[in-house]
Amino acid sequence: MTTHPDAASRHTPIGRVVGIALALAAVVAVIVLAFSWPSVTADAKNLPIAITGPAEAVSAVEATVDEQSPGAIAFEAVDDRDAAVTAIESREVYGAIVLGAEPEVLTSSASSLAVTQLLSGLAGGLEEGVNAQAAAAAQAAGAPGAPPHIEVAVTDVVPLAETDPRGTGLTAALFPLVLGGMLGGIAISIAVIGAMRRVFAVLLYAAVGGLVLTGILQGWFGALQGDYLLNSAAIALALAAIAAPITGFVAVIGRAGIAVGPVVMLLFANPLSGAAVPKEFYPAPWGDIGQWFPPGAAATLVRELSYFPSADMTFPWLVLGAWAVGGLLLSVIGHFRTAGGAEPDAEAAVAV
């Protein structure tokens, strides 16, 4: 067996080999950082929690909580228990502390299990403090015996559904939604030639995908609650909001636009979506920034449609709509900017 004289020349230069290896290591580092950083640094900051009761008791609890967990909770005073429940159901707060003759802690596991656990822990400390104060007051008044033990009830105002008692289905639903929108946009960019045809493909894909995914997540897994068609519309809009920018940038700048999916949607926006923990757990201002991107808006919208019909959902609807319409408009612009409607680098895009 003879060796071709040009065989050695076809080997990749060692400098390029080193460069590729280092670049791949950097990519892996970025991926690990993007997905692990939010969870590793997650810490409750300024969680909105309602509080009501006598002024002195409210001040004492606020001071105690701030001493135990500095900056974790931002208390919002409400008139009474009913007002606290309304604030929870409209998702203005994550829970509430009701002080008075019958102290109570109100939670919302459908909003966040992490916050529910935090408030449940505060309930134990609150019960201990309330009973200590009652015992001191009784002793000061010369009462012959210890006062009756005061229990601090913990009430889950908006619980998770029995079909998803830990909320894992609702949380896990986001990643395939993001991945589906991203892969849909990439596949359409590669397989469909013609900007306007891509617009049609995105709209059809999003509509059918919304119906199918909702059927699986709600009808089969029980992860979603509420109205099936409304949930389908939300998921369809989320798919379009992720897929349309990819096809839009491909129409304008060529195959380089495909990077919008992996870089913007998957590596940046998805870890900041707030699907697993509330946005207040992320270092400021990243939690709020995450809500301006499709993954964060979709996570918020799907949760609120399932459990918080009284919440104001205008913002996530607008965010998803803006990304979807913006992406489709880019496709239209790309169509009219090129001669004969052929996208820049169209042949290269198809060959990717």
Side-chain angles (χ1 to χ4, degrees), residues 70-263:
I73 292 179
F75 284 108
E76 299 183 8
V78 294
D79 294 334
D80 50 29
R81 185 185 187 278
D82 290 340
V85 170
T86 299
I88 293 172
E89 291 177 341
S90 59
R91 225 184 175 206
E92 297 173 9
V93 297
Y94 289 103
I97 295 178
V98 179
L99 303 172
E102 298 180 354
E104 184 180 11
V105 171
L106 306 179
T107 65
S108 171
S109 59
S111 184
S112 170
L113 278 177
V115 179
T116 296
Q117 293 170 356
L118 175 64
L119 290 176
S120 298
L122 289 178
L126 178 61
E127 183 171 319
E128 182 179 345
V130 167
N131 282 282
Q133 291 178 357
Q139 185 177 6
H149 183 78
I150 302 174
E151 292 187 2
V152 176
V154 178
T155 304
D156 195 346
V157 176
V158 187
L160 287 161
E162 293 182 358
T163 52
D164 189 21
R166 302 300 301 171
T168 52
L170 188 62
T171 301
L174 178 67
F175 186 73
L177 179 61
V178 174
L179 191 62
M182 187 184 72
L183 292 180
I186 293 174
I188 290 171
S189 298
I190 294 174
V192 178
I193 300 177
M196 302 310 294
R197 284 175 170 79
R198 288 175 182 162
V199 169
F200 174 73
V202 167
L203 293 175
L204 181 60
Y205 166 70
V208 175
L211 293 170
V212 173
L213 289 181
T214 306
I216 295 173
L217 295 172
Q218 183 168 350
W220 187 1
F221 295 160
L224 303 183
Q225 314 302 316
D227 184 78
Y228 168 78
L229 291 179
L230 197 56
N231 287 333
S232 298
I235 290 180
L237 187 58
L239 290 173
I242 297 171
I246 298 174
T247 59
F249 276 103
V250 168
V252 173
I253 64 175
R255 64 179 178 179
I258 290 177
V260 172
V263 175

Side-chain angles (χ1 to χ4, degrees), residues 195-196 247-253 327-344:
M196 302 310 294
T247 59
F249 276 103
V250 168
V252 173
I253 64 175
L328 295 176
L329 284 177
L330 282 178
S331 290
V332 175
I333 292 172
H335 172 75
F336 287 106
R337 282 183 59 185
T338 53
E343 296 86 357

Side-chain angles (χ1 to χ4, degrees), residues 289-317:
I289 291 175
Q291 295 300 302
W292 286 85
F293 289 82
T300 298
L301 182 58
V302 168
R303 185 181 297 273
E304 291 181 351
L305 285 174
S306 290
Y307 292 103
F308 301 91
S310 300
D312 183 1
M313 307 177 204
T314 304
F315 181 74
W317 280 114

